Amino acid sequence: MIEPNNKGFYGEYGGAYIPEMLIPNIEELRAKYLDILNSESFRKEYHLLLCDYAGRPSPLFKAERLSAKYNANIWLKREDLNHTGSHKLNNTIGQILLAREMGRKRIIAETGAGQHGVATATVCALMGLDCVVYMGATDIERQAPNVARMRMLGAEVRPATSGNKTLKDATNEALRDWIANPLDTFYLIGSVVGPHPYPDMVARLQAIISSEIKEQLKSKIGTNLPDYVIACVGGGSNAAGSFYHFLEDESVKLIGTEAAGLGVNSGETAASMACGDKGIIHGSMTYLMQSDDGQITEPYSISAGLDYPGIGPLHAFLKDSKRADYMPITDDEALDAVMELTRLEGIIPALESAHALAVLPKLKLKTSDHVVVTVSGRGDKDMKTYMERFNL
Amino acid sequence: MNRLNSLFANKKDLLSIYFTAGFPRLDDTVPILKALETSGVDFVEIGMPFSDPLADGPVIQKSSTTALENGMSLTVLFKQLENVRREVSMPIVLMGYLNPVLRFGVERFLDKCKETGVDGVILPDLPFEMYREQYSHLFEERGISNTFLITPQTPPDRVRLLDENTTGFLYMVSSAAVTGAKTGLNQFQIDYFTRIRDMELKSPKMVGFGISNQESFSEVCKYANGAIVGSAFIRMIENSNNIAEDIDGFICSLKPRND
Ligand SMILES: Cc1ncc(COP(=O)(O)O)c(C=O)c1O
């Protein structure tokens, strides 16, 4: 396990670069989150909800035709089968219990693809709490079904209209809302980003993914260590969860895939590792796409959930320490992977998850290799894009 | 003692204006400074525009976007301020976000502040603890003042800590909000101002966020050394065809002259 130090730094990455207005809230969370997360009552309720409400454990499926194609043993960690259709619910279940424990009545969240927004609206409905979700106006357009789901669940969806009107801008608006509503509001962040303690807290709440992978592999192949674990990286929460319990198992190669958009040198990209360098975004020191003057660059990706110019600080640390590798995947490569999984296995993945699958043709795999790919979500929300791109 | 410290030592009911560098046009920064001094403003905060200003409301966000589109950067700003001390004598404070400053280089940034005659810096997203550990000696070596924010939610012991460590003034955020003009003060704010006043802090205090007219300005002067007006000024200047004249009118409406 890799934990940040008490100030929230993984090496030189992380921390809490936040204005004074947010300090009381962040400080309270920092002081309480570990005690709450480790308490007997929290653990009981969290695991009960993961099991009976979310439908966990999510299956680890041996993809036979994909395995035949790539000449290796390909396992899919089916987060797409989680209630609400992605891994995001693992985190929102945990944080909503925390918010309730801390006595907060109003929940705010940011969302890109809308999956985190839906997962937040879902647990708010479950707990009877007010919910406001900020979403970039561009994303409201391209992820329309999720907007309707959030509204149906009783959440108010507020458009963010600055910048490229995507995830970064929605996060800015959510932080502004928290500044303006410091007393009753809990900010339920959707990835391993933001000021400490969010990156660590969200990683812990997603760690269930790798703990299940280990158990499932053990019973299926007799060892709990695969050769590869692969996951896509927007902010990096499904990847953090997929890697978490493997971080100390040095034999397991960890690969994160980031969205290259039209290509890492195209200027239309969200590959913060390939194109960015050290800087501060949303309260955290990390890899960031920025200009020579330190202005944050507007990102681009076909995938709303990966369309973010930064990356969680844990991943910045894992990259520098070479514990994990990060590879850029273009829009077109992701779309090819969508069709491949759909036709070979009968699973329509989310665009985000397709960025993880798209790495398979790039690896030099051995027949004996066991490769786990996390399918972070299902493709229902992306049908509009698929209909256009595949002429359906 | 720099210009800021002597101003606080000698004058009360200070009016400070925040404006974004390079807005509405790139070369407006210095003309605005001169007009503000002529019209009797006591000191200024020049906003260093940032792409993602998360403590700012829509008016300052928009002015920052325009300023960046106009080509504003720290390099350009320091170039504009190169000879400013020949023409402007009031204290100048730079306010902005940490990332562009880190990118420019903190030491280089502070050297430039010193060279051009900037008296103080406000970086809201550089929390006190990190400032103390990593940067305070660099500020002190060059005699550049720092300023910390306090809010209605800042606990008393933290207010004391920030007070003891500020070398400029304490920036009292008037309410839980991002920047933006509002009308009128409520009882909650009055209670907060009173509470802070009664703590008898060592540092001067300026109230900012939401101060937009003469009434709110003179009201907060009862509790603090003065107030900072930002969004209301930016809104005015955006629509101005005659900067010098309109600035004079605006400042006069906030703080009528006795003569
Ligand atoms: C299905 C899916 N996968 C991945 C992501 C990216 O988030 P993260 O990198 O935090 O897992 C999202 C975000 O919206 C998503 O909806």
Side-chain angles (χ1 to χ4, degrees):
Chain A
M1 252 187 284
I2 292 182
E3 289 172 20
N5 71 15
N6 65 345
K7 297 193 178 75
F9 283 94
Y10 301 90
E12 54 189 324
Y13 300 106
Y17 296 86
I18 46 169
E20 192 62 35
M21 295 82 103
L22 290 176
I23 290 212
N25 268 322
I26 290 288
E27 192 43 42
E28 186 190 1
L29 192 60
R30 192 195 60 77
K32 292 183 177 164
Y33 84 108
L34 285 179
D35 285 346
I36 298 178
L37 257 52
N38 292 329
S39 70
E40 187 61 31
S41 61
F42 174 92
R43 296 174 72 87
K44 252 197 186 144
E45 198 169 359
Y46 176 59
H47 284 285
L48 188 72
L49 285 171
L50 284 182
C51 174
D52 293 351
Y53 187 68
R56 300 199 71 91
S58 68
L60 185 70
F61 173 67
K62 176 84 183 287
E64 294 291 356
R65 296 183 69 205
L66 209 56
S67 297
K69 173 157 183 189
Y70 290 108
N71 231 331
N73 303 285
I74 314 274
W75 299 87
L76 304 178
K77 181 58 176 164
R78 301 287 311 275
E79 292 302 305
D80 58 315
L81 293 177
N82 228 15
H83 176 42
T84 73
S86 80
H87 67 293
K88 297 287 183 185
L89 193 70
N90 307 333
N91 171 43
T92 61
I93 288 178
Q95 283 196 55
I96 205 74
L97 294 176
L98 207 94
R100 198 187 59 186
E101 186 68 27
M102 290 171 64
R104 301 301 160 103
K105 301 272 177 279
R106 177 176 177 269
I107 306 298
I108 57 172
E110 83 297 336
T111 196
Q115 287 301 110
H116 175 59
V118 167
T120 304
T122 298
V123 293
C124 285
L126 180 70
M127 299 287 169
L129 296 172
D130 290 340
C131 181
V132 173
V133 179
Y134 290 91
M135 187 170 189
T138 305
D139 294 337
I140 287 183
E141 185 70 21
R142 60 178 162 172
Q143 309 276 223
N146 274 346
V147 177
R149 290 167 80 197
M150 286 184 265
R151 291 192 175 132
M152 196 165 165
L153 288 158
E156 179 189 343
V157 181
R158 293 192 189 162
T161 55
S162 60
N164 268 10
K165 307 176 177 58
T166 57
L167 181 55
K168 164 176 80 72
D169 313 297
T171 308
N172 288 339
E173 289 308 328
L175 284 164
R176 289 184 185 118
D177 181 311
W178 209 21
I179 288 174
N181 297 288
L183 296 179
D184 62 339
T185 298
F186 185 91
Y187 182 16
L188 208 163
I189 293 188
S191 191
V192 286
V193 299
H196 178 62
Y198 281 102
D200 183 50
M201 179 168 77
V202 177
R204 286 167 188 266
L205 293 172
Q206 291 291 0
I208 183 76
I209 300 175
S210 49
S211 96
E212 285 177 7
I213 293 173
K214 275 193 156 176
E215 267 177 44
Q216 289 165 323
L217 271 184
K218 179 89 189 165
S219 78
K220 287 174 197 285
I221 62 170
T223 162
N224 59 15
L225 299 182
D227 298 284
Y228 293 86
V229 176
I230 301 169
C232 69
V233 179
S237 68
N238 87 88
S242 303
F243 296 172
Y244 203 83
H245 292 286
F246 293 112
L247 287 169
E248 278 157 15
D249 301 315
E250 295 284 339
S251 70
V252 181
K253 296 183 199 64
L254 307 175
I255 300 177
T257 61
E258 53 176 0
L262 302 184
V264 286
N265 297 318
S266 67
E268 296 289 330
T269 181
S272 9
M273 301 263 201
C275 304
D277 41 27
K278 217 178 145 181
I280 296 169
I281 182 168
H282 298 139
S284 186
M285 179 71 75
T286 187
Y287 276 93
L288 168 64
M289 300 200 315
Q290 56 186 317
S291 72
D292 292 342
D293 297 323
Q295 307 296 339
I296 299 177
T297 309
E298 294 297 338
Y300 162 79
S301 164
I302 192 174
S303 149
L306 306 184
D307 197 352
Y308 184 69
I311 182 92
L314 167 64
H315 293 290
F317 175 76
L318 294 177
K319 175 185 161 69
D320 281 12
S321 63
K322 302 203 159 54
R323 177 63 193 94
D325 281 328
Y326 295 86
M327 299 169 68
I329 298 293
T330 64
D331 287 359
D332 287 343
E333 290 168 333
L335 284 167
D336 288 347
V338 167
M339 213 30 134
E340 181 177 84
L341 189 74
T342 303
R343 292 293 165 87
L344 288 181
E345 302 290 346
I347 297 169
I348 301 177
L351 268 168
E352 291 76 19
S353 321
H355 284 73
L357 295 157
V359 97
L360 289 173
K362 300 179 182 235
L363 300 177
K364 291 196 183 66
L365 298 175
K366 297 196 296 281
T367 347
S368 59
D369 281 341
H370 288 277
V371 181
V372 176
V373 185
T374 298
V375 181
S376 56
R378 57 180 177 242
D380 307 26
K381 70 184 178 60
D382 296 310
M383 284 315 297
K384 187 162 169 256
T385 307
Y386 297 163
M387 283 155 75
E388 282 162 22
R389 293 303 195 110
F390 301 129
N391 294 317
L392 305 173
Chain B
M1 204 191 249
N2 71 21
R3 290 177 201 88
L4 209 48
N5 304 130
S6 38
L7 176 66
F8 284 115
N10 294 312
K11 208 168 166 216
K12 297 190 307 182
D13 300 350
L14 302 176
L15 173 61
S16 176
I17 293 291
Y18 170 98
F19 69 97
T20 305
F23 177 85
R25 287 162 307 182
L26 184 63
D27 292 325
D28 285 334
T29 317
V30 175
I32 289 174
L33 268 175
K34 286 199 272 189
L36 286 170
E37 176 150 290
T38 310
S39 66
V41 161
D42 296 298
F43 76 99
V44 288
E45 277 124 64
I46 305 180
M48 306 176 279
F50 182 49
S51 54
D52 294 79
L54 56 81
D56 285 300
V59 173
I60 294 179
Q61 281 177 48
K62 195 163 150 246
S63 70
S64 303
T65 307
T66 306
L68 292 173
E69 284 164 5
N70 290 344
M72 183 44 70
S73 66
L74 284 178
T75 309
V76 171
L77 177 60
F78 283 123
K79 186 88 195 145
Q80 291 181 342
L81 296 180
E82 216 160 33
N83 299 313
V84 76
R85 281 303 173 204
R86 292 187 195 152
E87 304 177 292
V88 175
S89 60
M90 66 181 163
I92 297 175
V93 174
L94 297 186
M95 182 163 183
Y97 293 81
L98 184 56
N99 198 55
V101 174
L102 284 182
R103 193 75 183 181
F104 192 82
V106 177
E107 288 198 51
R108 184 170 160 235
F109 172 79
L110 293 170
D111 285 342
K112 281 284 178 193
C113 286
K114 191 162 181 194
E115 259 172 63
T116 50
V118 168
D119 305 283
V121 173
I122 310 175
L123 296 169
D125 61 343
L126 176 60
F128 165 68
E129 286 72 14
M130 247 176 265
Y131 167 81
R132 180 171 57 184
E133 277 164 35
Q134 297 182 31
Y135 304 115
S136 59
H137 63 288
L138 303 175
F139 279 65
E140 280 157 20
E141 280 160 24
R142 292 163 183 80
I144 307 290
S145 295
N146 64 47
T147 279
F148 299 115
L149 275 57
I150 59 173
T151 81
Q153 277 72 44
T154 311
D157 51 344
R158 187 167 173 87
V159 172
R160 292 257 175 237
L161 179 73
L162 299 177
D163 176 47
E164 274 154 29
N165 285 281
T166 189
T167 52
F169 58 93
L170 283 177
Y171 193 128
M172 285 177 69
V173 177
S174 66
S175 62
V178 292
T179 54
K182 290 172 202 71
T183 45
L185 297 173
N186 59 35
Q187 191 55 44
F188 182 78
Q189 288 173 290
I190 304 285
D191 291 348
Y192 155 60
F193 296 149
T194 309
R195 178 162 54 84
I196 299 296
R197 183 188 58 191
D198 293 348
M199 287 179 79
E200 298 184 353
L201 303 172
K202 81 164 184 44
S203 310
K205 303 175 294 284
M206 294 292 290
V207 176
F209 287 38
I211 310 300
S212 63
N213 56 24
Q214 190 199 335
E215 197 195 343
S216 47
F217 174 68
S218 50
E219 180 71 18
V220 299
C221 283
K222 292 182 197 156
Y223 306 91
N225 298 62
I228 303 162
V229 175
S231 297
F233 178 80
I234 288 173
R235 220 159 30 208
M236 180 280 293
I237 201 95
E238 181 174 17
N239 302 314
S240 170
N241 295 317
N242 184 337
I243 284 185
E245 199 173 287
D246 290 347
I247 287 182
D248 202 56
F250 181 85
I251 299 304
C252 224
S253 75
L254 279 172
K255 194 183 180 183
R257 275 170 257 192
N258 302 326
D259 52 33

